């Protein structure tokens, strides 16, 4: 969970109670909302994990699509940072 501009952002996996993805919680109302840009994107953003912030953006691992992504709440834009969707080496020591 991270805090950015009076909103808590947290991740959730798909289960019988939620669709999974990235969610925001407004501190004043405690209202939980999905970050719609991720839910409507062509990419699978249902298994979002490892959330952090940097320069007013959120950075996360989307294990469902095997990609690293960023989300800017101001522009509501999702950017691909790394990954092509294929399985790779878990420890980063693949043969070159």
């Amino acid at each position: 969970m991270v805090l950015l501009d009076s909103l808590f952002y947290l991740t959730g996996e798909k289960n019988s109670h939620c669709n999974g993805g990235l969610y925001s919680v407004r501190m004043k109302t405690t209202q939980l909302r999905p970050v719609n840009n991720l839910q409507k994107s062509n990419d699978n953003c249902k298994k979002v994990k490892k959330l952090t912030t940097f320069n007013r953006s959120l950075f996360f691992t989307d294990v469902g699509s095997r990609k690293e992504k960023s989300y800017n709440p101001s522009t509501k834009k999702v950017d691909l940072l790394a990954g092509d969707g294929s399985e790779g080496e878990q420890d980063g020591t693949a043969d070159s």
Side-chain angles (χ1 to χ4, degrees), residues 9-50:
Y9 289 90
L10 55 108
T11 64
E13 284 196 40
K14 186 175 182 175
N15 61 41
S16 61
H17 302 291
C18 78
N19 288 329
L22 183 64
Y23 294 85
S24 66
V25 179
R26 188 165 302 283
M27 291 173 56
K28 286 184 180 181
T29 64
T30 66
Q31 184 176 22
L32 177 71
R33 292 184 174 177
V35 175
N36 289 330
N37 300 63
L38 299 179
Q39 305 299 335
K40 294 177 183 175
S41 121
N42 290 335
D43 261 340
N44 175 10
C45 286
K46 301 286 186 199
K47 283 190 166 183
V48 176
K49 293 191 175 186
K50 299 190 181 191

Side-chain angles (χ1 to χ4, degrees), residues 68-81:
E68 300 289 327
K69 299 178 183 178
S70 68
Y71 171 70
N72 184 319
S74 299
T75 64
K76 303 201 181 325
K77 186 176 178 190
V78 179
D79 289 312
L80 174 66
L81 302 173

